[in-house]
Amino acid sequence: WMLDSPAKGLELVVFEGTPMTNSAGGFIFADENCAAVTINTQLPANRAGHSAISMGSEALLCGGYTTNQMSWPGNGNDMECWWFTPAPYPRFDFLKLKSGSPVPTVRWGHAMAEDPKLGHALLFGGISKGSTVLNDCWVLQVSNSVDPSAQYEWLSCTPTAATALKPMPRYGMGAVFQESSQSFFLYGGFAWTGTRFASMSDMWVLEDFADILKVKWSQVNAVSEKPTARGFHAMWLSGYTIFIHGGQGTGGVGISSVRSDTWSFDVFTKVWKQ
């Protein structure tokens, strides 16, 4: 679905094509020279638990599971990603990688954010095959101008030092990227404690992202009351303020323990406010 902000309405985006095949199909239109052009001969397969972020005029969609949490789209253990281009005609293009590029493993419940300054995509954690919970960090080196026909490369942004601090492996966390400080913030999610999955209330930041070889994780310690533990919440950034809303966690309503509270966090003062 597409939100038309000026018209204050939602429109259904319709595609023609066959998911994940090169068989006949596709949406045919005429370009400015009246030549027939076919797009969307491939489309992402049905999925849930995936993530999508804005990348300039495009969007990048990655991961997820298909019919159940033990079935994965893509080939083998490699996570698949797709570019979505909304104009002039809505289309999907499979993310092409450079030869030899490492690929994050399949996953769902991961967090993604865009570095608008460098135009890179960041990815953290999630849950993979065999219910393996992850705390790896990846960056897709793009640019400020996305070309869906170009080849790109994933690089690890997980600190490699044996003594390096890292968030616990988790899924269902929120993430934002703060441009001026070049920092990747994570909050909450569900982590494996050794005996069970538990909702978390911790915040982490990956700092010094301007140099991928020097990145380091630090836990952010608030100087105020903070939200209760939760996962699968909404999280967004406005200037220097991070907001979260809702999610599943302690004290929530119903079987799923769903919450409806909204909190703001100032990245400079480290103060939470409800």
Side-chain angles (χ1 to χ4, degrees), residues 99-117:
S99 176
S101 170
V103 186
T105 187
V106 293
R107 66 192 66 203
W108 67 272
H110 48 286
M112 294 180 66
E114 179 205 13
D115 173 359
K117 182 176 182 179

Side-chain angles (χ1 to χ4, degrees), residues 63-65 70-80 103-108 110 125-130 132 134 136:
Y65 59 87
M70 300 298 291
S71 180
W72 310 85
N75 297 316
N77 292 321
D78 293 344
M79 182 186 71
E80 67 165 34
V103 186
T105 187
V106 293
R107 66 192 66 203
W108 67 272
H110 48 286
I127 188 165
S128 187
K129 289 184 176 180
T132 301
L134 308 169
D136 53 346

Side-chain angles (χ1 to χ4, degrees), residues 131-150:
S131 297
T132 301
V133 190
L134 308 169
N135 67 342
D136 53 346
C137 175
W138 294 85
V139 57
L140 184 72
Q141 293 193 309
V142 190
S143 67
N144 295 111
S145 178
V146 173
D147 179 2
S149 66

Side-chain angles (χ1 to χ4, degrees), residues 18-271:
T18 306
M20 285 303 296
T21 72
N22 287 311
S23 59
F27 175 53
I28 302 175
F29 67 95
D31 66 11
E32 65 273 14
N33 298 315
C34 295
V37 179
T38 302
I39 62 173
N40 291 322
T41 56
Q42 292 185 317
L43 292 173
N46 298 340
R47 69 190 64 206
H50 48 304
S51 292
I53 57 173
S54 175
M55 296 288 294
S57 59
E58 262 71 29
L60 181 65
L61 178 154
C62 292
Y65 59 87
T66 54
T67 54
N68 56 62
Q69 294 174 9
M70 300 298 291
S71 180
W72 310 85
N75 297 316
N77 292 321
D78 293 344
M79 182 186 71
E80 67 165 34
C81 295
W82 293 79
W83 293 114
F84 172 65
T85 305
Y89 300 94
R91 64 178 292 159
F92 274 103
D93 293 281
F94 191 74
L95 172 66
K96 302 177 181 67
L97 297 175
K98 294 179 180 178
S99 176
S101 170
V103 186
T105 187
V106 293
R107 66 192 66 203
W108 67 272
H110 48 286
M112 294 180 66
E114 179 205 13
D115 173 359
K117 182 176 182 179
L118 300 179
H120 295 165
L122 292 96
L123 178 147
F124 174 84
I127 188 165
S128 187
K129 289 184 176 180
S131 297
T132 301
V133 190
L134 308 169
N135 67 342
D136 53 346
C137 175
W138 294 85
V139 57
L140 184 72
Q141 293 193 309
V142 190
S143 67
N144 295 111
S145 178
V146 173
D147 179 2
S149 66
Q151 294 182 334
Y152 295 100
E153 183 178 20
W154 285 105
L155 294 176
S156 173
C157 50
T158 302
T160 57
T163 57
L165 290 175
K166 299 179 203 175
M168 292 174 65
R170 65 188 67 200
Y171 66 101
M173 55 277 159
V176 295
F177 192 89
Q178 212 289 316
E179 181 180 358
S180 63
S181 62
Q182 286 287 284
S183 298
F184 181 48
F185 287 87
L186 296 175
Y187 176 79
F190 289 89
W192 179 251
T193 64
T195 57
R196 65 185 181 92
F197 285 110
S199 56
M200 306 298 291
S201 62
D202 52 347
M203 178 178 281
W204 290 78
V205 59
L206 191 66
E207 301 172 298
D208 297 329
F209 203 83
D211 186 344
I212 195 171
L213 298 177
K214 296 181 180 179
V215 293
K216 60 181 180 180
W217 283 108
S218 299
Q219 187 167 358
V220 180
N221 296 310
V223 296
S224 64
E225 178 188 7
K226 64 180 181 179
T228 56
R230 68 193 67 203
F232 295 109
H233 47 283
M235 182 168 170
W236 68 98
L237 177 73
S238 178
Y240 300 102
T241 304
I242 296 171
F243 293 87
I244 65 167
H245 174 80
Q248 292 178 274
T250 306
V253 176
I255 296 175
S256 298
S257 295
V258 179
R259 303 192 58 86
S260 64
D261 50 344
T262 303
W263 292 75
S264 65
F265 179 79
D266 188 306
V267 298
F268 289 122
T269 65
K270 298 183 180 180
V271 171

